[in-house]
């Protein structure tokens, strides 16, 4: 067992961004290189890594077995890099928004992932309610809120936040978070996805500020794809002004567009520090 060494306002990087990019996608669990990423993250100046738990071959993911978690803890200890959070891409396939047994099974799996998260000393699970997992009907929204509310007290007991990522207007997004009705359920805002959905993040984030646990740092074109940070349409200057005004002390995770792992992760961290220096996060 370990405890998190992460400072408040930690800056992490999502798994895979420090490994060669897959040919057919931008994000995937780096099965062959995940250990190497921990030492590299420390070398580049990141505080932690957001671990990816996805549906394909999920039983083989090290986080899903006691032996694998011991291995992860050994890598944490040797590298000095923490697991900051777990990205629950698994729940985009096995959805909490399903009615009946399917949604209940997803909620039960989430409790299991909470235990893994706690064992690793991480403090947050990201639940992506977007794309195929979007709450685009009233019945999906009701089921998702109901299933999450059932297990949220366990997150509170373990000291873990459940961060909801959505691509809807901030005022509606905030309403979903508050409808769950538990302090362990927070907003996990993705700057690029909200931009692509047509929102000006500098104003869209306002209703979420009292509920905000973490921010995914990403740049996208409106209605378009990911871009290098500063090359898309995301209103970063206004966003960081809002965060500063609200005295935001949650985490950032770089989920930036990349081709060259080291070059582009270095650039992403420098981009963030240009707006949010370490002394502001301390």
């Amino acid at each position: 067992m370990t405890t998190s060494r992460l400072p408040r306002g930690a800056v992490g990087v999502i798994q895979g961004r420090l490994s060669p990019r897959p040919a057919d996608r931008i994000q995937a669990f780096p099965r062959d290189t995940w250990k190497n990423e921990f030492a590299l993250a420390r070398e580049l100046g990141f505080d932690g890594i957001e671990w990816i738990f996805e549906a394909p071959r999920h039983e083989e993911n090290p986080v899903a077995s006691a032996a694998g978690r011991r291995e992860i803890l050994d890598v944490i200890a040797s590298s000095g890099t923490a697991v900051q959070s777990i990205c629950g891409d698994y729940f985009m396939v096995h959805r909490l928004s399903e009615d009946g047994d399917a949604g209940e099974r997803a909620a039960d799996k989430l409790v299991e992932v909470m235990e893994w998260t706690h064992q690793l000393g991480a403090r947050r699970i990201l639940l992506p309610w977007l794309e195929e997992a979007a709450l685009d009907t009233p019945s999906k929204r009701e089921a998702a809120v109901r299933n999450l509310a059932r297990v949220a007290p366990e997150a509170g007991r373990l000291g873990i936040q459940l961060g909801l990522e959505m691509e809807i207007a901030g005022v509606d997004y905030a309403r979903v978070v508050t409808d769950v009705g538990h302090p362990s359920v927070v907003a996990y805002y993705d700057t690029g996805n909200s931009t692509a959905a047509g929102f000006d993040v500098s104003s869209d984030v306002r209703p979420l500020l009292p509920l905000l646990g973490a921010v995914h740092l990403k740049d996208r074109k409106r209605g378009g794809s990911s871009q290098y940070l500063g090359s898309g349409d995301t209103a970063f200057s206004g966003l960081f002004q809002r965060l500063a005004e609200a005295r935001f002390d949650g985490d950032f995770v770089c989920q930036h567009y990349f081709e060259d792992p080291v070059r582009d992760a270095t650039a992403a961290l420098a981009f963030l520090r240009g707006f949010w220096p370490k002394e502001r996060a301390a």
Side-chain angles (χ1 to χ4, degrees):
M1 182 68 64
T2 186
T3 55
S4 176
R5 294 183 296 272
L6 288 167
R8 293 188 67 82
V11 176
V13 61
I14 196 163
Q15 265 190 334
R17 293 306 199 271
L18 300 181
S19 295
R21 181 176 162 180
D24 58 342
R25 56 197 295 200
I26 194 170
Q27 181 164 307
F29 173 65
R31 297 181 183 278
D32 298 327
T33 57
W34 69 265
K35 294 181 184 179
N36 301 335
E37 292 197 348
F38 279 75
L40 182 55
R42 175 59 58 186
E43 180 183 335
L44 297 179
F46 291 99
D47 298 308
I49 282 178
E50 184 164 276
W51 189 278
I52 294 177
F53 180 60
E54 57 189 358
R57 299 169 61 187
H58 64 272
E59 304 94 338
E60 302 172 22
N61 193 306
V63 78
S65 70
R69 291 190 294 278
R70 286 194 296 270
E71 190 173 22
I72 296 168
L73 289 171
D74 286 344
V75 174
I76 291 171
S78 63
S79 67
T81 302
V83 172
Q84 182 172 351
S85 47
I86 291 182
C87 177
D89 284 349
Y90 173 93
F91 298 100
M92 294 184 71
V93 177
H94 304 279
R95 294 183 283 272
L96 291 157
S97 58
E98 299 285 351
D99 277 320
D101 290 346
E104 292 179 5
R105 285 194 300 271
D108 291 341
K109 187 67 175 182
L110 178 57
V111 171
E112 189 176 12
V113 178
M114 290 181 206
E115 291 287 350
W116 304 344
T117 304
H118 178 67
Q119 289 173 28
L120 294 180
R123 59 190 181 206
R124 186 176 299 106
I125 299 169
L126 167 63
L127 297 172
W129 286 357
L130 61 158
E131 299 174 8
E132 64 266 33
L135 308 185
D136 51 9
T137 68
S139 63
K140 288 181 181 179
R141 173 173 169 159
E142 290 169 9
V145 168
R146 180 177 63 252
N147 287 322
L148 189 58
R150 178 170 69 85
V151 300
E154 181 65 9
R157 185 185 74 82
L158 295 170
I160 293 167
Q161 288 186 341
L162 303 176
L164 307 185
E165 179 183 357
M166 306 181 72
E167 295 175 314
I168 59 177
V171 63
D172 298 320
Y173 189 159
R175 195 171 294 119
V176 174
V177 177
T178 55
D179 280 353
V180 179
H182 195 280
S184 292
V185 178
V186 299
Y188 195 145
Y189 195 72
D190 188 298
T191 61
N193 291 349
S194 292
T195 298
F199 303 114
D200 179 340
V201 298
S202 63
S203 56
D204 185 59
V205 77
R206 281 184 184 273
L208 294 166
L209 291 172
L211 306 166
L212 192 60
V215 174
H216 261 170
L217 194 70
K218 184 191 300 175
D219 203 350
R220 290 179 64 176
K221 293 287 188 182
R222 289 189 179 87
S225 60
S226 291
Q227 308 290 316
Y228 291 112
L229 291 174
S231 300
D233 293 324
T234 301
F236 285 110
S237 182
L239 170 75
F240 283 104
Q241 182 178 341
R242 299 289 89 74
L243 295 178
E245 291 169 352
R247 299 182 182 274
F248 174 68
D249 64 355
D251 295 343
F252 293 95
V253 171
C254 292
Q255 198 186 25
H256 53 284
Y257 178 82
F258 80 113
E259 294 289 347
D260 180 286
V262 172
R263 180 197 68 194
D264 297 333
T266 301
L269 186 56
F271 183 87
L272 171 60
R273 290 305 184 202
F275 289 100
W276 202 260
K278 284 188 175 182
E279 56 268 23
R280 175 173 282 172

